[in-house]
Amino acid sequence: MGRRWAARLSLAAGVAALLVLVVFGGLVSLVLMGVGWAGLALSAAGVWWMLTHTGRIRVLAVLLLVAVPLAVLALYAAAGLLWVVLVSLGLWALAVFAGRAALVEDAPPAMPEHPARRPERPFLIMNPRSGGGKVTKFRLAERARALGAEVVVLDPDRPQDVAQLAREAVRRGADLLGVAGGDGTQALVAGVAVAHDLPFVVISAGTRNHFALDLGLDRKNPARCLEALTDGVELRVDLGYLRAGGPEEPEEPAEPSTEVVFVNSASFGVYAEVVQSPAYRDDKVRTILEMLPDLLAQESGARLSVRGDGPVLDAPQAVLVSNNPYQRGDSAGLGRRERLDTGELGVLGVHVGSAAEAAELLLRGGQQGRGLTETTAREVVVDADAPVIPVGVDGEALTLPTPVRCRLAPGALRVRVPRHRPGVRLGAPPMDWRRVRRLALTMGRAAAGRGPA
């Protein structure tokens, strides 16, 4: 019922947005709306020119980004229709919001939960620098020790091998491993947990906590994650692995210790190249602006080739391989994954070769189309015309010999989570006017007893 009315609201608001233009502005307002869309496309082209050029062309592109919106607003004001356009845009935004809400289907079945006994010798590693000091702020070490856990708080001034710390704890008899820190640290210790078939606890003390988000954990209060030690259930989730170099089909499976583990994603291409620069940490914006022109034009960096279950992606500028696909429409991999146990990698390839393609990508809202390839695969091979390529693995910058093979170990990681937790909240899917219209009309007829057309 709620979805039907949301779809009806979406259609009504969309129609109202057009009627406001026609009734109060007539033909002139429609022309000005077309000018607005043209201005948006030109602004997107300006962004592309700014990123792919230096010197005078970049300066002109910045001026274009400033001048175009001001010129469009000036035209609206001169015609006395600025308020009409703003009201119409507001109604259009409502239509899109309601339409996306209507398209949210029932949540997919949750990942199965398995009973879990209370660990006797849990071992936790905590990074005091992660998340701006959440370990200290929430007194995580003290709380964990009070629950019987052995806790190692990393020394910020002395690099430590967290995987080795975990292996030593296993030799001492640890029956559970856990991390309070970023996703890169989570992945390292998760690999040890899988190798020894031990449960693993995620404590959301990092900055972004993408893995914790997709497990349905509380990211605002990481102390709640410690409830997994006393009243927890177990989820079986997939774990990603990268194997660098080597033959196409090795005679024996690679040892886990020779592979790089990831819980979220591995990125190749532009982003991975930029974060490898020594200047990136000191001045991110300047480094990005200096490196992007050559990287996007593929005048520097490696030329990639990606093979999966579908067609080969030739020379993409950026590739994201994720542990399970991100929700449809979240092309940047910044949102959520519906499940972590599908056994499939998500693959996103980006190749934008012109200002027109950049504008189209922006106007389509980042949905699949020219310049963007989104698919899934059981295994992905990333090759290049260079013997070594940079890779961003769960936010950590690495360099690996080519080809790089990405795979999943289905259900390999036993994640212990609190029995009572916020859960996974799915975002709204991309707008699809045909589906919204069908949903509003078909469900209306079904409710009236006439059935679908």
Side-chain angles (χ1 to χ4, degrees), residues 34-405:
V35 170
W37 281 106
L40 183 60
L42 195 56
S43 296
V47 172
W48 173 254
W49 291 325
M50 183 187 71
L51 295 177
T52 55
H53 294 83
T54 58
R56 293 180 179 178
I57 296 181
R58 174 171 285 176
V59 173
L60 291 174
V62 172
L63 292 176
L64 182 68
L65 288 174
V66 175
V68 167
L70 292 177
V72 171
L73 291 175
L75 285 173
Y76 290 164
L81 296 175
L82 181 58
W83 72 271
V84 175
V85 174
L86 292 178
V87 170
S88 178
L89 288 177
L91 288 169
W92 191 258
L94 174 61
V96 173
F97 176 82
R100 294 184 66 192
L103 295 176
V104 175
E105 300 177 358
D106 295 334
M111 291 184 287
E113 298 180 354
H114 305 279
R117 64 177 180 83
R118 180 168 179 167
E120 297 179 358
R121 301 189 64 180
F123 176 79
L124 305 178
I125 296 173
M126 299 190 178
N127 185 348
R129 284 187 172 177
S130 290
K134 290 182 180 178
V135 169
T136 301
K137 178 181 178 181
F138 290 92
R139 300 177 56 248
L140 297 179
E142 294 87 340
R143 292 171 185 257
R145 290 182 179 120
L147 296 175
E150 178 186 353
V151 179
V152 170
V153 179
L154 300 177
D155 185 349
D157 299 321
R158 183 169 60 91
Q160 293 171 274
D161 187 339
V162 294
Q164 184 59 30
L165 290 174
R167 285 189 286 266
E168 291 173 356
V170 173
R171 284 195 289 269
R172 294 195 303 270
D175 60 354
L176 177 144
L177 300 176
V179 171
D183 289 332
T185 307
Q186 301 278 1
L188 292 172
V189 180
V192 178
V194 169
H196 295 277
D197 193 28
L198 292 178
F200 179 69
V201 166
V202 176
I203 304 171
S204 56
T207 302
R208 297 176 181 85
N209 298 300
H210 284 174
F211 192 44
L213 173 70
D214 296 330
L215 289 169
L217 300 177
D218 191 333
R219 296 194 299 167
K220 295 182 179 178
N221 183 6
R224 287 192 59 188
C225 299
L226 294 173
E227 296 174 11
L229 300 179
T230 56
D231 184 21
V233 293
E234 195 168 283
L235 306 177
R236 292 276 186 164
V237 307
D238 305 335
L239 193 63
Y241 288 91
L242 303 177
R243 179 166 60 86
E248 181 82 20
E249 296 181 0
E251 295 181 2
E252 297 181 0
E255 293 294 328
S257 60
T258 66
E259 295 181 295
V260 178
V261 178
F262 64 95
V263 294
N264 292 326
S265 61
S267 60
F268 305 82
V270 171
Y271 173 75
E273 293 274 2
V274 169
V275 297
Q276 289 287 336
S277 171
Y280 178 76
R281 294 189 181 276
D282 297 328
D283 193 341
K284 292 181 173 61
V285 174
R286 182 176 180 179
T287 303
I288 291 172
L289 291 176
E290 287 181 350
M291 296 183 64
L292 274 183
D294 288 342
L295 290 172
L296 292 176
Q298 297 191 332
E299 294 178 1
S300 66
R303 182 184 176 92
L304 302 178
S305 173
V306 182
R307 304 194 308 275
D309 296 343
V312 174
L313 300 182
D314 185 41
Q317 292 148 327
V319 178
L320 183 78
V321 179
S322 59
N323 174 8
N324 286 262
Y326 281 92
Q327 191 172 346
R328 182 171 173 260
D330 178 33
S331 301
L334 300 176
R336 303 179 179 184
R337 291 162 287 183
E338 294 181 348
R339 299 183 68 111
L340 292 170
D341 61 350
T342 68
E344 287 191 315
L345 296 163
V347 184
L348 173 70
V350 178
H351 186 279
V352 180
S354 66
E357 290 184 3
E360 180 187 1
L361 195 60
L362 177 64
L363 295 175
R364 290 175 61 89
Q367 298 181 37
Q368 190 162 346
R370 278 200 314 169
L372 190 67
T373 302
E374 194 174 5
T375 185
T376 60
R378 294 287 179 177
E379 185 177 50
V380 175
V381 179
V382 181
D383 209 343
D385 60 356
V388 176
I389 57 173
V391 186
V393 182
D394 286 336
E396 303 293 328
L398 305 176
T399 55
L400 297 175
T402 55
V404 178
R405 292 180 169 81

Side-chain angles (χ1 to χ4, degrees), residues 405-426:
R405 292 180 169 81
C406 314
R407 70 175 181 90
L408 280 186
L413 183 60
R414 300 167 51 192
V415 180
R416 187 76 54 87
V417 297
R419 187 183 306 275
H420 305 290
R421 59 194 185 278
V424 178
R425 298 176 182 177
L426 300 179

